[in-house]
Amino acid sequence: MEYNKTIEMLTSKGMFHIDLGLGRIKSVLESFDNPQDKLKCIHVAGTNGKGSVCAMLDSILRESGVKTGLYTSPHIFEYTERIKINGTDISKEDFSKYFEKVFLKSKELNISLTEFEILTAMMFLYFYDNDVEIVILETGLGGRFDATNIIEKNLCSIITQIDLDHTDKLGDTKEKIAFEKAGIIKPNCPVVTSMGYEVIKDKADELNSLLIFTSSFVEQSFIENLSLKGLHQRENLALVLSAINYLFSNIDEKTIKTGLNKVKNPCRFEYFEDKNLIVDASHNPNGVEALRNNLDYYFPNQNRRFVFGCLRRKDYKKMMKILFRKGDEIYLNEFDYPDSCTYEELSKNCLYNSKKYSSETNLLPDKLNIICGSFYMISKMNIL
């Protein structure tokens, strides 16, 4: 099957929806003799910071000589970005091959998988077939009923920052959302977190899982070696160092710092100096608050030009209230994606004067340009 046809089928209305639950993917993976149970996984859940934590872990382990598999979402430009071995995206040919394998098996079993379930099954098969030593596994949504949680054990769970997001699926309080994230904790497997929610402690106690609690304090030399910028990365880095020190005490400090220096995680407070441009995919209030703090810390004296777009199901009113200030030049972007906000929806809830973004909008380097609000918007802009 050709790659373009694969993507067309994968993103069809029949698969492009969210339906949390483990029953469907469990049945399909059982028919492949459960490759997920033959892999060693570090499982990462949380509202914000998952991608950065996964990228740091992957880079450090690769630097130490471990053959890693990295599974993240969403992608920026191509679906192949979601599945990597040793930092290299799955080829389009292999992507199509594994899609066809999973798709045909699900049809044979008369099981309708969602897009994310198909991708997750593909990933487990691909990593197993290629003898990956350690898988760094990012949840797609929540944790307890997320397709990645089909694994029965892990090397450890990591729970990052928790905030209100996907409240229609995960609950309308942080405590309820923390309960869903805590669903990735496995019996007798450690969990690393900086989140002090009782539901996380209770789950760890229930499953006899060692709870490793971190603070945001990290030795300055590690921060200085981290290629990812942003004040919020300190907390993410603390989680990573705790997990590495517990699981891989043989990895020395020099290797860790070299790995941190090589980390790549596009569109997370990513600065392009020649364009005086920040690209940041923060897509909820907690994320844009971190962005706002980073802008004030790293670029305190620059005038700012924002391009902002968002999905309708996000709290875009609160996000814009946090982001924008009097004097900012504001462009609101109505982009082509299911459930994206229209310009009218955004503008009537924006506290300051705004203009409609178009492909003709000139983002000159005379101001600090900030593109933010949605992974999906960034992928449509073709600006990088």
Side-chain angles (χ1 to χ4, degrees):
M1 188 182 295
E2 290 186 359
Y3 177 74
N4 289 340
K5 178 64 176 176
T6 298
I7 299 303
E8 183 183 323
M9 292 179 66
L10 185 61
T11 57
S12 67
K13 287 185 178 179
M15 299 177 196
F16 188 74
H17 64 283
I18 296 171
D19 187 5
L20 296 175
L22 300 178
R24 295 177 300 274
I25 192 169
K26 184 177 190 299
S27 296
V28 171
L29 286 173
E30 279 178 348
S31 72
F32 288 112
D33 197 26
N34 291 314
Q36 76 281 4
D37 293 337
K38 301 163 188 172
L39 294 165
K40 295 179 180 178
C41 300
I42 299 174
H43 204 183
V44 184
T47 306
N48 293 307
K50 299 189 299 293
S52 295
V53 166
C54 288
M56 289 184 220
L57 287 168
D58 178 67
S59 188
I60 292 169
L61 290 177
R62 283 195 285 124
E63 189 63 28
S64 72
V66 173
K67 185 176 185 179
T68 63
L70 177 63
Y71 183 56
T72 58
S73 62
H75 60 279
I76 305 298
F77 301 110
E78 291 285 353
Y79 271 86
T80 51
E81 298 166 25
R82 298 182 181 218
I83 302 172
K84 302 178 192 290
I85 293 179
N86 278 349
T88 300
D89 297 356
I90 185 173
S91 68
K92 290 182 178 180
E93 180 182 8
D94 278 340
F95 188 95
S96 296
K97 181 178 85 173
Y98 281 88
F99 170 83
E100 188 169 10
K101 185 181 293 190
V102 173
F103 180 77
L104 291 177
K105 180 61 71 174
S106 68
K107 290 301 178 185
E108 177 188 320
L109 298 172
N110 197 28
I111 295 173
S112 297
L113 296 178
T114 66
E115 174 190 300
F116 189 72
E117 287 169 339
I118 287 179
L119 289 166
T120 302
M122 289 166 53
M123 171 270 299
F124 282 129
L125 286 166
Y126 178 65
F127 288 165
Y128 174 71
D129 288 348
N130 286 276
D131 300 316
V132 163
E133 294 177 86
I134 294 177
V135 176
I136 295 115
L137 195 58
E138 179 187 356
T139 58
L141 179 60
R144 186 163 60 114
F145 294 123
D146 185 78
T148 60
N149 206 32
I150 194 64
I151 59 175
E152 293 187 351
K153 62 180 180 179
N154 56 42
L155 294 176
C156 80
S157 305
I158 299 177
I159 299 176
T160 67
Q161 187 68 228
I162 290 173
D163 196 28
L164 294 174
D165 201 5
H166 301 289
T167 52
D168 57 325
K169 302 286 185 184
L170 304 179
D172 56 2
T173 68
K174 291 184 182 180
E175 193 77 12
K176 289 178 182 177
I177 292 172
F179 174 77
E180 296 298 327
K181 309 295 185 186
I184 71 166
I185 300 173
K186 299 292 185 242
N188 304 303
C189 301
V191 53
V192 182
T193 188
S194 60
M195 298 286 99
Y197 291 96
E198 287 300 321
V199 289
I200 295 176
K201 297 176 185 176
D202 291 346
K203 192 66 175 179
D205 286 342
E206 175 192 335
L207 298 177
N208 194 34
S209 300
L210 175 66
L211 178 63
I212 302 172
F213 193 77
T214 68
S215 72
S216 58
F217 174 79
V218 175
E219 187 182 317
Q220 187 64 26
S221 61
F222 287 102
I223 296 168
E224 290 170 354
N225 276 277
L226 178 61
S227 62
L228 304 181
K229 301 305 176 190
L231 300 173
H232 61 292
Q233 295 294 1
R234 291 172 181 261
E235 185 174 321
N236 295 330
L237 179 55
L239 293 169
V240 169
L241 293 177
S242 291
I244 291 290
N245 289 335
Y246 181 81
L247 296 173
F248 308 101
S249 57
N250 61 310
I251 300 180
D252 60 53
E253 186 174 304
K254 180 181 178 182
T255 300
I256 292 173
K257 289 178 178 178
T258 303
L260 291 174
N261 191 253
K262 294 180 180 180
V263 177
K264 290 183 173 59
N265 197 22
C267 302
R268 278 78 164 185
F269 201 66
E270 188 174 14
Y271 181 57
F272 300 86
E273 187 173 3
D274 59 327
K275 300 176 181 179
N276 201 19
L277 169 68
I278 292 284
V279 180
D280 190 285
S282 299
H283 50 275
N284 53 47
N286 182 261
V288 298
E289 186 172 7
L291 169 59
R292 178 85 256 174
N293 291 337
N294 287 331
L295 292 172
D296 291 344
Y297 181 82
Y298 290 99
F299 304 95
N301 301 314
Q302 287 207 41
N303 294 325
R304 293 161 188 174
R305 179 185 294 115
F306 285 92
V307 177
F308 177 85
C310 195
L311 297 185
R312 192 175 285 114
R313 63 178 178 264
K314 302 292 184 176
D315 192 351
Y316 55 86
K317 298 175 188 178
K318 187 174 181 180
M319 291 166 69
M320 291 192 292
K321 186 176 180 180
I322 293 169
L323 273 176
F324 305 144
R325 293 178 184 163
K326 186 176 180 181
D328 289 340
E329 187 177 349
I330 301 167
Y331 290 90
L332 302 176
N333 188 359
E334 178 181 332
F335 57 100
D336 180 22
Y337 193 82
D339 197 40
S340 64
C341 286
T342 65
Y343 170 73
E344 288 72 24
E345 287 171 322
L346 292 172
S347 62
K348 76 179 181 181
N349 290 287
C350 183
L351 299 178
Y352 306 103
N353 291 332
S354 63
K355 304 172 187 176
K356 188 172 184 177
Y357 177 82
S358 76
S359 57
E360 304 301 315
T361 302
N362 203 345
L363 303 180
L364 297 172
D366 59 326
K367 293 183 178 181
L368 179 65
N369 297 291
I370 305 109
I371 296 174
C372 60
S374 172
F375 277 104
Y376 303 106
M377 179 191 75
I378 292 168
S379 69
K380 299 287 183 181
M381 290 185 67
N382 295 321
I383 197 165
L384 303 183

